[in-house]
Amino acid sequence: MGSFSLIIDGQTVEVEEGATVLQAARRAGISIPTICDHKDLNPYGACRMCVVEIEGVRGYPTSCTTPAAAGMRVTTQSERLSTLRNRTLELMFSGHPNSCLVCVHREACEQHRPTATKAARSTRCGFCANREECDLRAMALSAGQPELSLPTMYAAYNLERDDPFMDRDYNLCVLCGRCWRICEKIHGKPAISIINRGKWARIGTAFNKSHVFSGCTFCGACIDICPTGTLTDRFARWQGKPEAETGSACILCPQGCAVVAQSKNQRLLAYTMPAFNRDASLCALGRFGAAQMVNSNQRTTRPQVREGEDLIPYDWDAALKAAATGLKEHAGKIAFVISATSSREERYLYAQLATALKGQMHLVPAHALPGDPTLTTIQEAIHGQGALALLMNGPLLGGVEQSRMAFSLVIDALHSDSSEQASVVLPAAMLSENSGTFRSSTGEIRQLSACSQAPGDARAEWRILRDLGQTLGLDGFSYTKVEDITRAMDNAVGEDAAPPAMTGDPRHNVRELITTYRGHQVADIVPALAAFGLPQRSMIQEESTAGSDNGFPILEKKEIVPNMHFFKIQAPQVAKFALPGQFVILMARETSERSPFTLVDWDADTGTISLVIEEVGRSSRELASLRAGDMLAHVSGPLGQAMPVEKRGTVLLGGGCYGVGAIYPLARALKQAGNRVICGIEASSSYLLYMQDELTQVSDQLILATKDGSEGVRGGVQEILVQTAEREQVDQFIAIGCTFMMRMTTELSRGLNIPTLVALNPIMVDGTGMCGACRVSIGGDTLFACIDGPLFDGHAVDWDELASRRSAYAPQEIQALSQGVDLSALMHQAHGPTDTHQCGCGR
Amino acid sequence: MSVEQHEVQDILTQYDQDRDNLIPLLQDVQERLHYLSPQALSAVAEHLQLSENDVFGVATFYAQFRFTPPGLHHIKVCEGTACHVRGSSRILDTITRTTGIEPGQTSEDGLFSLERVACFGSCALAPVVVVDDKVYGRMTSAKTQRLIEEKK
Amino acid sequence: MSFAARQQEALAVWRVFDQPELRRILVGSATCGRAAGSLEVLQAFRDELAQADLEKSTALYEVGCLGMCYAEVLVEIRAQDGRRVLYQGVEPRHVAQLVEQHLVRGEIYWPLALAQMGEGTEELPAFHDLPMIKPQERIVLRNCGFIDPNNIDHYLARGGYSGTARALTMGPDAVIDEMKASGLRGRGGAGFPTGVKWGFARATPAAQKYVICNADEGDPGAFMDRSVLEGDPHAVLEGLLLAGYAIGASIGYVYCRAEYPLAIERLQTAIEQMHNLGFLGDNILGSGFNFSIKVKKGAGAFVCGEETSLMQSIEGKRGMPQSKPPFPAVSGLFGKPTNINNVETLASVSAIMEKGASWYAGFGTEKSRGTKTFALAGKINRTGLVEVPMGINLRTIIEEVGGGVSGGKAFKAVQTGGPSGGCIPARLIDLNVDYESLAEVGSIMGSGGMIVIDEESCMVDMARYFLTFTENESCGKCVPCRMGTQHLLRILTTITAGRGTLADLDSLRKIGDTMKNASLCGLGQTAANPVLTTLQYFEDEYRAHIEDHACPAGACAALIHFTIDPAKCTGCGLCARACPVEAISGEKKEPHLIDQGACICCGSCRQACKFDAVLVS
């Protein structure tokens, strides 16, 4: 192929034949904005951001689709081009929530909330898991403060969460087509396609089938190539941008696929494909399962030694000593049962130990299931040997076998029945926590690089074996790093054998996934895998009170605007005694956590209460998944102090998020008490405003504010407060909403000398003053939001303390979300959800 | 195999496995079944060795294809320019009022289904309504109402 | 059999059809004729002839469209005197009378008589002297309505395929030169010179090439292609054959809308006939040229009129347009060099090859040669299909050919080019109709839809209508078109509901400009035209909606209400019968009343009233 040159922005560029103008520009170091273009995909020409001017060519061709030609003269920057690009960007953003980008409070807000806040629907960047990696956001911000004046057309597609590993929010999709194009490229027969056309065009599957049944192999390429937060890995979703990407290999099966391990804070987020092509694709277990296994709560974290009936935590030295003693005692009668999913170094050290202790080495293939002929052979061999001790790196043999032994040592990363029965348990590191080498079933040697920290006291297996060797006083166990073992092994053994190949091809057929890892059933560790029919020790049975006769009936339930759910619940005792400002604590199920919600309305006669619940984390999601007719397990209340209702003159109530509903009963009471009531409510964009009609009825004036200026005042309650105070005397200000809004408005009202009440929302458990989780500092005193609040003098609140206490359990809250998948719904559903939630927002 | 599956198989055997047969195949299947059922679509995909999602993507691109069975009487209202100028939206309103269905829907008794069509090319006779492939020109609200009552 | 011999056979068939002493009835039965009831009329004739025992001595034919759609059902009757009389508005109830009076007694049935074919008389004008016909020049429509479209001999007898015979002796390059010399420009809308386009495709070396006839006539309000395909399919197929020969393609496709079942049927019949007579297949007319034609049915997507989308559709994919370059002439259908022409272009090609480039170049203007067909529709007296020389005055088309605005209302504008075109205001009625002049005023020739708009149509509502169409038909691939159409429609809807602001006008212009310059394909690039041209010529009307909350045309339901003028109302009750919601009541012969609460402002009553008694405010 020949090369030729063309001129881009006055610069001569030499390119190979077949290059596009965009590629040529990149070659010259000239950057042209684009969303739909990707180096691993064919040109598509959909986003229209990469338009350029070419001498002699009519109009504004897209550089990504235009082949470069000899002598071509291209201009990539001009006033006309930047106008066109900005307007195209504006059009693109009108189909993608964007209020944060034009919000006057963005910088202050991001300072207070440095990471995105978890939410069900991402209605703004601040609620988007992909905030730090969003190409759209980066493009908009690089253009300075973008001019986005077109209203957002929120599509209100259902959130797609009926999938084992991925969350999909097509309300963020800009139809760049990267996902289906990469799917088609990698798999030939794509598991997704563009469905419909025009404004109804979206990415989807045939007849909205679940991805479990659409031919999806869960390689995750679509997630990795998506420029927005539309497609996310549920587990990694709220963990933020990976800090490190380390090349390594996955050793969950003998294929030993090369991976790029994404990690953050020494924690594995995901294994991803090293390149976007068919050969580099990963199976569902590698792509999604590995990170969940490594971060599983079933990890073994401390060395343990049996003392009678009990396994007692020991320190490493003592545990190693106990292990060495046990082994030494049975030298010559030890069976080593080792999984093939061990690194070469580990296997080498096990073999060294076996030789020194005159034990027998048995290698268990990765895919061996109970009853596998290999296992039977091993068992027979063990019997033949008359073994009295057993060393296993996983629950590889049945419990009967183990119980026959006088001594058993289990070196494993995960808890099991075998470790329960063991004489000594040594906690090992696994997968991304280990370094070394691995020989794949095709014979290739893959490099393993540690990129995450083993939990607790768990250690790399090679270190455990080395230390064990040293404790046993054996020669040749003086390695200081894993490479030393590799070298020693290469010198001693030469070519080691490749593990037997597995039968299926899980990378291209999700039904052929390997079901065990070192004797553990993987679906026991990653329950979502049961969706593919993987065996599980016990099916997870979600207790559900829905449909049961006990509890509090939900009379009405609808999503009034994205993320905001209106509930009307039969709770006569609460309704009878409720006062403005009070709240209730709800539990969706008997197993749910208790969560507090402000009462929006109540009717003692009918015995009903109304609430507006914002869907944020796991508990509110459980609540949001209930429907009219279902039962709530518990409703406790009314709780907290009522607001003192007195005549103050003019009262301004500011509401944001759930606070829009929460100010309603206060406004009503204050109005009845003869006050002039002004309600000011804020939302990111006009489509997120709600309860305007209700608030109009209970106030003298309703002022709207939107962050993007699409309706009412541009800004938030801050602007409403300042503008109202300029116009008239405000005698009392009450703010309910997010901590950021309450804090900002409180600072303003202090300067304006307006007495201010805020409704604090710390983490709360029992709601009766017992647990103390909700303690807040008010003017130096420690008070409990549940019994002393929720309303407090805003000017006396220690906001920093509140913020830090509120975020104390952020990692756990994030982890809880990924476990919230409703598998029972998923597994029995060949087609998409047939009875979709029908509500105001189209969910 | 159900009758439907047999019919689809009959159609499939008339086409070789080239992708450019996709749309004609879907058209034939729809002509036979009056809509594209998930099973039929799946059979077409398998015949052409394409992904079902891909085939569904193609089918949903074109206005001609339906995914739910139509009513006994399928009403199409032309929304061409000439028809618009001569009041096709009134005709559509009338049909919606008398049948209780919006475009794209099938009435609960299965009697009527309604569809909007870009243009039949019978502009000189605007506004035009097509019921069960018979063209009715120069329609008025009153004539439309009578036509539907007759079909009930 | 040689071509000349074959032609002789065809002439023999034609002479039988054309012999003056044979009783003959021609019933115009294209889709529009059928919609007006031509099949019922045909059946009535069949029955009547049988009853009168005339079936053996009378030939009864279905023919294509004469273009006088307003006068459907059109029937031409020739009694034994050889005089051919054209009757209009024929219904089955007239048939007995027509047979008895004209066919048997040889007397003209005056109530329905429209014209005489051939020479006229004082009482009955000649067909070609009719005001609708006289300004016309029929090249594309040369055979429509005069021949039996199902009979290839009729086409042959009137000169068909003689152009092919000539071309095959000239060689492909000479054919392309002939096209260039004729000055023919693509009739699909953009007006690219056909010969030049063929030259590109010929110049790309490849073992396999394709030609495609674009019969995906998607413009709402256009039906030229349908009429030609139904009335004279061979004219188009011969054009496709010639294009294939010229560029070196062996396979041709006709991509026809599925909404045109009759056209598809006629095409398939015609293709079979071509095969039988050796105009398709291997070694056509002994020239060594091989060619075959496949018909592909569209499936309901306007964007497939765009050539790259059309090819995607033929390939069995979503009809989403592809970026150009590469152009189809280099890499088109299945990645092979491909040439696409529309129906009208190809029907012109066969005429040019028959009669020569200089004959064709004699029509039209310097830059726009030949003729153009238009589908006249909307608020005009004589709706139909017309073919006029390029450069003709718009006034001639509307006032003479079309007979002026219907119902005595004032002419306001004419919309050309469908959803991609623009509205030309009444004051530009003296505009010459050619590619350049139309572009100058912001519209396009398009494929030839011409919708006449009177004072009762609101221009904002018209723009909104077109955007409803394009929003629905946008493929959704590129951002400017997908999002732009939605916003344009949103804003226009706001304005027609009386909730618009002046800033909205600015937004419309900005979005329109972005779509025009940044969209991927022609659909998006032109989708804003109806908005931009109405804004250009009718800004006052937009402002009235915004500033005065009024719709001057009385069309936007949110801004108007209807009342009945008791002084004018005769109590005839037509309005009450037309009202779809029974909002009008009144005693017979007494002034009627509209119940404002029940009224949905649809305007049916106003349209029904013969006394202008329904007032809009």
Side-chain angles (χ1 to χ4, degrees), chain C residues 118-133:
Chain C
E119 292 307 304
T121 59
E122 242 174 65
E123 303 88 64
L124 195 58
F127 175 72
H128 56 78
D129 282 334
L130 287 173
M132 184 178 190
I133 304 300

Short mmCIF file of all heavy atoms in Angstrom, two decimals, chain C residues 118-133:
data_model
loop_
_atom_site.label_atom_id
_atom_site.label_comp_id
_atom_site.label_asym_id
_atom_site.label_seq_id
_atom_site.Cartn_x
_atom_site.Cartn_y
_atom_site.Cartn_z
N GLY C 118 -58.60 13.01 -30.75
CA GLY C 118 -58.43 13.46 -32.13
C GLY C 118 -58.97 14.88 -32.26
O GLY C 118 -58.83 15.69 -31.36
N GLU C 119 -59.64 15.14 -33.41
CA GLU C 119 -60.12 16.50 -33.64
C GLU C 119 -61.39 16.77 -32.84
O GLU C 119 -62.21 15.89 -32.63
CB GLU C 119 -60.41 16.69 -35.14
CG GLU C 119 -59.17 16.68 -36.00
CD GLU C 119 -58.11 17.66 -35.53
OE1 GLU C 119 -58.39 18.88 -35.40
OE2 GLU C 119 -56.95 17.21 -35.24
N GLY C 120 -61.54 18.01 -32.43
CA GLY C 120 -62.73 18.37 -31.69
C GLY C 120 -63.80 18.97 -32.57
O GLY C 120 -63.60 19.14 -33.77
N THR C 121 -64.91 19.22 -31.98
CA THR C 121 -65.98 19.90 -32.70
C THR C 121 -66.39 21.10 -31.87
O THR C 121 -65.85 21.31 -30.79
CB THR C 121 -67.20 18.98 -32.88
OG1 THR C 121 -67.65 18.61 -31.57
CG2 THR C 121 -66.87 17.76 -33.68
N GLU C 122 -67.36 21.84 -32.38
CA GLU C 122 -67.78 23.01 -31.62
C GLU C 122 -68.41 22.63 -30.30
O GLU C 122 -68.21 23.26 -29.28
CB GLU C 122 -68.76 23.84 -32.46
CG GLU C 122 -68.21 25.21 -32.73
CD GLU C 122 -69.11 25.98 -33.69
OE1 GLU C 122 -70.24 26.26 -33.29
OE2 GLU C 122 -68.64 26.25 -34.80
N GLU C 123 -69.17 21.51 -30.34
CA GLU C 123 -69.86 21.10 -29.11
C GLU C 123 -68.93 20.40 -28.14
O GLU C 123 -69.10 20.49 -26.94
CB GLU C 123 -71.03 20.13 -29.42
CG GLU C 123 -72.07 20.63 -30.36
CD GLU C 123 -71.69 20.32 -31.81
OE1 GLU C 123 -71.61 19.13 -32.16
OE2 GLU C 123 -71.46 21.28 -32.59
N LEU C 124 -67.98 19.67 -28.67
CA LEU C 124 -67.11 18.88 -27.81
C LEU C 124 -65.64 19.12 -28.20
O LEU C 124 -65.23 18.76 -29.29
CB LEU C 124 -67.46 17.38 -27.96
CG LEU C 124 -66.92 16.44 -26.90
CD1 LEU C 124 -67.41 16.85 -25.51
CD2 LEU C 124 -67.34 15.02 -27.20
N PRO C 125 -64.87 19.74 -27.31
CA PRO C 125 -63.49 20.08 -27.66
C PRO C 125 -62.62 18.84 -27.80
O PRO C 125 -62.94 17.77 -27.28
CB PRO C 125 -63.02 20.93 -26.48
CG PRO C 125 -63.88 20.51 -25.32
CD PRO C 125 -65.20 20.14 -25.93
N ALA C 126 -61.52 19.03 -28.50
CA ALA C 126 -60.56 17.93 -28.62
C ALA C 126 -59.85 17.76 -27.29
O ALA C 126 -59.65 18.73 -26.56
CB ALA C 126 -59.54 18.25 -29.70
N PHE C 127 -59.45 16.53 -27.01
CA PHE C 127 -58.75 16.23 -25.75
C PHE C 127 -57.54 17.14 -25.60
O PHE C 127 -57.34 17.77 -24.57
CB PHE C 127 -58.33 14.76 -25.74
CG PHE C 127 -57.51 14.36 -24.56
CD1 PHE C 127 -58.08 14.24 -23.29
CD2 PHE C 127 -56.14 14.11 -24.68
CE1 PHE C 127 -57.33 13.89 -22.20
CE2 PHE C 127 -55.38 13.75 -23.58
CZ PHE C 127 -55.96 13.64 -22.34
N HIS C 128 -56.74 17.23 -26.68
CA HIS C 128 -55.50 18.00 -26.55
C HIS C 128 -55.74 19.50 -26.50
O HIS C 128 -54.82 20.26 -26.28
CB HIS C 128 -54.50 17.62 -27.65
CG HIS C 128 -55.05 17.77 -29.03
ND1 HIS C 128 -55.15 18.97 -29.65
CD2 HIS C 128 -55.55 16.83 -29.90
CE1 HIS C 128 -55.69 18.79 -30.85
NE2 HIS C 128 -55.94 17.50 -31.01
N ASP C 129 -56.98 19.92 -26.71
CA ASP C 129 -57.28 21.34 -26.58
C ASP C 129 -57.86 21.70 -25.22
O ASP C 129 -58.11 22.87 -24.92
CB ASP C 129 -58.28 21.78 -27.67
CG ASP C 129 -57.58 21.95 -29.01
OD1 ASP C 129 -56.36 22.22 -28.96
OD2 ASP C 129 -58.23 21.81 -30.05
N LEU C 130 -58.09 20.68 -24.39
CA LEU C 130 -58.62 20.96 -23.05
C LEU C 130 -57.63 21.85 -22.30
O LEU C 130 -56.42 21.70 -22.45
CB LEU C 130 -58.81 19.65 -22.26
CG LEU C 130 -59.97 18.74 -22.68
CD1 LEU C 130 -59.89 17.42 -21.92
CD2 LEU C 130 -61.30 19.42 -22.47
N PRO C 131 -58.17 22.78 -21.51
CA PRO C 131 -57.24 23.68 -20.81
C PRO C 131 -56.23 22.95 -19.93
O PRO C 131 -55.12 23.41 -19.73
CB PRO C 131 -58.15 24.57 -19.97
CG PRO C 131 -59.52 23.98 -20.03
CD PRO C 131 -59.57 23.11 -21.24
N MET C 132 -56.64 21.80 -19.42
CA MET C 132 -55.70 21.07 -18.57
C MET C 132 -54.60 20.42 -19.39
O MET C 132 -53.49 20.22 -18.93
CB MET C 132 -56.44 19.98 -17.76
CG MET C 132 -55.52 19.26 -16.79
SD MET C 132 -56.39 18.03 -15.80
CE MET C 132 -55.14 17.62 -14.59
N ILE C 133 -54.93 20.06 -20.64
CA ILE C 133 -54.01 19.27 -21.46
C ILE C 133 -53.15 20.16 -22.35
O ILE C 133 -51.98 19.89 -22.59
CB ILE C 133 -54.80 18.26 -22.32
CG1 ILE C 133 -55.69 17.37 -21.42
CG2 ILE C 133 -53.88 17.40 -23.18
CD1 ILE C 133 -54.94 16.55 -20.40
#
